[in-house]
């Protein structure tokens, strides 16, 4: 059995890591500002669903390929960067059409689309794969049995902490932006802001370097 100190250290680290600014938080906040709480939560669920893929990959050794192979890392990185930049350009071209006259999002921009984008953004970020591979093994104890199962357990808990942290972020972001979204003229600028953020995230991902072995 894990002792109390194990869980204190683990949850402290998981909480701190989920609070740190990064592409996931930026994507969630941007969609909350642009579309409201429902879309913010959809972005959060999408990102966390993508993290599940990385947890399973780390647990069963697939992430090691990204850490060991510069080519594999580069392929995933450039695909992810291109996808983010594509989404950003699309947002810039909407020119405020994502907002109705009363500031509410139109039905054409579905929460499922935001979920799917969040999922792809996380899955196509090789840094997330390498993070889970580096972070999770620190909390596995060979004396307690099957290591992959321990990694999956701890990875699921990291994601659960992330969902809780992101829920608070969505609610705070929605509260402070609700008044701004009531102004119909702000729609154009919100779309531009979202597009700029996505393109910036794509460029940031493209500039990431693989950590030395």
């Amino acid at each position: 059995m894990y002792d109390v100190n194990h869980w204190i250290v683990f949850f402290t680290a998981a909480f701190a890591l989920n609070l740190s600014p990064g592409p996931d938080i930026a994507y969630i906040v941007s969609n909350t500002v642009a579309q409201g709480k429902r879309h913010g939560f959809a972005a959060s669920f999408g990102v966390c669903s993508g993290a599940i893929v990385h947890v399973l990959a780390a647990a069963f050794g697939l992430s090691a390929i990204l850490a060991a192979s510069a080519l594999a890392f580069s392929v995933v990185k450039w695909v992810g960067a291109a996808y983010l930049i594509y989404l950003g350009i699309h947002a810039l071209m909407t020119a405020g059409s994502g907002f109705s006259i009363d500031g509410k999002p139109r039905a054409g921009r579905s929460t499922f689309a935001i979920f799917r984008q969040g999922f792809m953004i996380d899955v196509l970020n090789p840094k997330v794969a390498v993070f889970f591979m580096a972070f999770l093994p620190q909390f596995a104890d060979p004396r307690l049995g099957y290591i992959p199962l321990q990694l999956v357990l701890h990875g699921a808990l990291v994601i659960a902490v992330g969902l809780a942290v992101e829920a608070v972020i969505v609610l705070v972001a929605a509260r402070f932006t609700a008044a701004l979204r009531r102004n119909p003229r702000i729609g154009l600028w919100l779309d531009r802001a979202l597009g700029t953020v996505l393109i910036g995230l794509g460029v940031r991902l493209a500039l990431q370097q693989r950590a030395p072995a």
Side-chain angles (χ1 to χ4, degrees):
M1 294 281 297
Y2 302 107
D3 59 22
V4 174
N5 184 64
H6 172 94
W7 292 118
I8 291 175
V9 173
F10 172 77
F11 281 113
T12 300
F15 181 75
L17 289 167
N18 276 294
L19 268 181
S20 61
D24 294 350
I25 296 297
Y27 179 73
I28 291 165
V29 171
S30 296
N31 278 283
T32 303
V33 171
Q35 300 276 20
K37 288 187 291 187
R38 286 185 60 196
H39 287 73
F41 284 123
S44 174
F45 291 143
V47 165
C48 289
S49 296
I52 293 173
V53 175
H54 290 300
V55 167
L56 294 175
F60 297 101
L62 298 180
S63 293
I65 296 174
L66 292 177
S69 170
L71 176 60
F73 184 93
S74 295
V75 168
V76 174
K77 180 184 74 172
W78 285 109
V79 170
Y83 184 71
L84 284 167
I85 292 171
Y86 163 77
L87 294 177
I89 293 174
H90 177 75
L92 290 175
M93 294 177 64
T94 60
S97 63
F99 298 85
S100 61
I101 204 68
D102 62 356
K104 296 179 181 179
R106 291 179 179 172
R109 184 162 188 167
S110 70
T111 52
F112 178 73
I114 300 300
F115 171 89
R116 184 178 65 244
Q117 290 174 3
F119 176 84
M120 294 300 297
I121 285 171
D122 203 79
V123 167
L124 294 174
N125 188 344
K127 285 288 187 179
V128 179
V130 175
F131 159 75
F132 277 113
M133 189 190 66
F135 178 75
L136 296 180
Q138 299 179 47
F139 299 95
D141 187 344
R143 296 171 300 176
L144 297 180
Y146 193 48
I147 294 295
L149 184 59
Q150 293 185 56
L151 298 181
V152 170
L153 170 64
H154 286 80
L157 290 173
V158 170
I159 294 171
V161 171
L163 281 170
V165 169
E166 291 163 6
V168 174
I169 290 173
V170 168
L171 293 173
V172 171
R175 180 178 182 129
F176 282 96
T177 59
L180 293 175
R181 290 191 295 105
R182 292 192 192 101
N183 183 345
R185 292 177 299 176
I186 207 70
L188 171 63
W189 294 104
L190 288 175
D191 272 336
R192 287 177 175 174
L194 176 60
T196 301
V197 167
L198 289 170
I199 291 174
L201 294 177
V203 172
R204 177 181 174 181
L205 179 58
L207 294 177
Q208 286 181 348
Q209 299 297 318
R210 186 170 67 97

